[in-house]
Amino acid sequence: MSNPESSPQAAASSTSPPSHAGHIHTPLCRSCGAPAAAPAPAPWTGDSPPPAYRPIRMPAINAPTNTAAIVLSPVPQPLPVPPASPPFAFQAPAKRIASPDDIARFKDSTHGRHFLGFVASLSASVHGRKLSDPLPSPPSPAVSALLDLISALSAFVASTPPFPHSSRYGNPAFRLWHEKLGDSVNELIAPITATAASPSDLAGAEVELAPYLLDSFGNGTRIDYGTGHETNFAAFLYCLARLGLITEPDYPAVVLRVFASYLDLMRTLQDTYLLEPAGSHGVWGLDDYHFLPFVFGAAQLIDHKYMKPKSIHNPDILENFSKEYMYLACVMYVKKVKKGPFAEHSPMLDDISAVPNWKKVNSGLLKMYKAEVLEKVPIMQHFLFGSLIKWK
């Protein structure tokens, strides 16, 4: 190898006059030789991308900043739902969260811990189960009533066609659909509370349950939907569990039948009325609308013999198994509505596909749900508190 000190470039540099440190040469006009108005750009130091650099993944405003903290946090564990006992004092729930201090208070509260434990319990109940698998026990009357509720809301879509609309988001017909929900919400809830062992104990429960349900399907004014609305549906289910209307043996049916039907309805609403993503994380989110189906869907795939997280890149697997596993259905939906290379429009999902097994995916998503949904003020400021989910 030649000695760099003996190269012609080195010799030329050794005989050239020394440069003046810190002196910036003013560029000259190529036409007249006069100094140009703009000074030369400062040399690249390596602290930022070079001028010609264009990242493959464009930076996002909402890119996660606490990834290390999420990775190091403990995995949320299943917890039993604390039962509520009569006599009940039902009340219209209200919003309470307005600051990070309020988030910390909710996170450390009894219902904050048990609500997250309820989500983890639902996830654990569907380990290794396909959507079409027979349920371990027949659906309870409350589960059947919940399915009837979602079927009724689906019928509202058929009777409320979208208006001619040229904008990308926000078909005004959704406001009519939401009005129908509001007009019939008490009648929709009544068959669920009627399944109680003593229905008279739950007289007036609609005043507390209805606001959760009304906020589970998006905002009728803004015509949008996001993970906050999805969380309110989970809170509605949590309230039913507190009242003893759904119990732990019902959890597989709650996920594989009720939540799967809810997800199908929401996809219909999103596509029919062009709901705007509420607080979307852009390319750094899992999905512009949902989070929980990824949690439950990863749980379904735990210990699967053949499908691994990287299998989401196989179109045949998505086509053949998306009707059995919520995670695959969500990935397929993302690929349908977003254009371009998957690694660019969905870098988070692309990164997750490199995780070695579904158990790690599921535990990581549970931690991420806690940090990126339940601990975010812009999302949780819409969460409701009443007598069943108390604010202390």
Side-chain angles (χ1 to χ4, degrees), residues 56-366:
I56 295 175
R57 296 175 182 173
M58 298 300 289
I61 294 175
N62 291 321
T65 57
N66 59 340
T67 305
I70 295 174
V71 170
L72 296 174
S73 63
V75 179
Q77 297 298 314
L79 290 175
V81 174
S85 302
F88 301 107
F90 296 116
Q91 63 187 68
K95 300 175 183 178
R96 300 291 186 184
I97 293 177
S99 68
D101 288 341
D102 294 334
I103 288 286
R105 185 178 305 167
F106 173 62
K107 181 178 70 171
D108 295 335
S109 69
T110 298
H111 290 296
R113 295 192 305 272
H114 283 271
F115 176 70
L116 179 59
F118 173 66
V119 172
S121 296
L122 291 177
S123 174
S125 73
V126 294
H127 282 189
R129 297 183 187 276
K130 297 184 300 201
L131 290 174
S132 64
D133 280 349
L135 297 172
S137 58
S140 67
V143 168
S144 298
L146 280 166
L147 292 172
D148 291 341
L149 180 153
I150 294 174
S151 295
L153 296 180
S154 299
F156 289 168
V157 179
S159 63
T160 316
F163 297 149
H165 190 63
S166 58
S167 299
R168 181 183 179 189
Y169 291 121
N171 193 295
F174 180 68
R175 295 192 175 112
L176 298 181
W177 183 92
H178 215 278
E179 285 179 12
K180 292 180 180 181
L181 167 62
D183 292 342
S184 57
V185 65
N186 288 345
E187 289 77 11
L188 292 169
I189 292 175
I192 302 173
T193 56
T195 65
S198 178
S200 60
D201 288 340
L202 301 187
E206 292 86 352
V207 70
E208 184 156 345
L209 296 175
Y212 288 104
L213 192 64
L214 287 171
D215 209 27
S216 295
F217 300 92
N219 185 281
T221 302
R222 296 190 301 270
I223 315 182
D224 65 4
Y225 176 89
T227 50
H229 301 105
E230 179 186 73
T231 297
N232 268 313
F233 185 70
F236 175 71
L237 297 175
Y238 177 80
C239 290
L240 298 183
R242 288 219 66 207
L243 294 172
L245 296 171
I246 56 177
T247 59
E248 288 195 27
D250 295 321
Y251 286 2
V254 169
V255 176
L256 301 176
R257 301 292 186 269
V258 175
F259 191 85
S261 298
Y262 167 77
L263 178 61
D264 288 343
L265 172 58
M266 285 316 310
R267 292 303 192 199
T268 300
L269 294 174
Q270 290 153 17
D271 293 342
T272 303
Y273 303 117
L274 308 175
L275 304 188
E276 184 170 5
S280 167
H281 283 247
V283 299
W284 287 101
L286 294 176
D287 180 313
D288 284 345
Y289 299 105
H290 292 282
F291 199 110
L292 287 177
F294 290 94
V295 176
F296 300 151
Q300 287 182 273
L301 286 158
I302 287 176
D303 294 332
H304 196 284
K305 287 184 178 180
Y306 308 111
M307 281 187 280
K308 307 299 179 187
K310 64 183 179 182
S311 298
I312 66 167
H313 300 296
N314 187 323
D316 290 337
I317 286 180
L318 293 182
E319 182 68 30
N320 292 321
F321 296 99
S322 60
K323 291 180 174 59
E324 294 286 9
Y325 299 98
M326 279 185 274
Y327 193 100
L328 302 182
C330 287
V331 171
M332 192 170 181
Y333 183 83
V334 168
K335 289 190 173 187
K336 182 183 78 172
V337 301
K338 295 189 176 184
K339 306 303 179 186
F342 186 73
E344 289 189 21
H345 65 62
S346 300
M348 189 75 71
L349 288 174
D350 188 59
D351 288 347
I352 291 172
S353 70
V355 175
N357 59 68
W358 289 109
K359 185 174 183 179
K360 286 184 178 293
V361 172
N362 176 252
S363 60
L365 288 174
L366 280 169

Side-chain angles (χ1 to χ4, degrees), residues 40-55:
W44 177 53
T45 62
D47 296 330
S48 60
Y53 174 77
R54 180 181 180 273

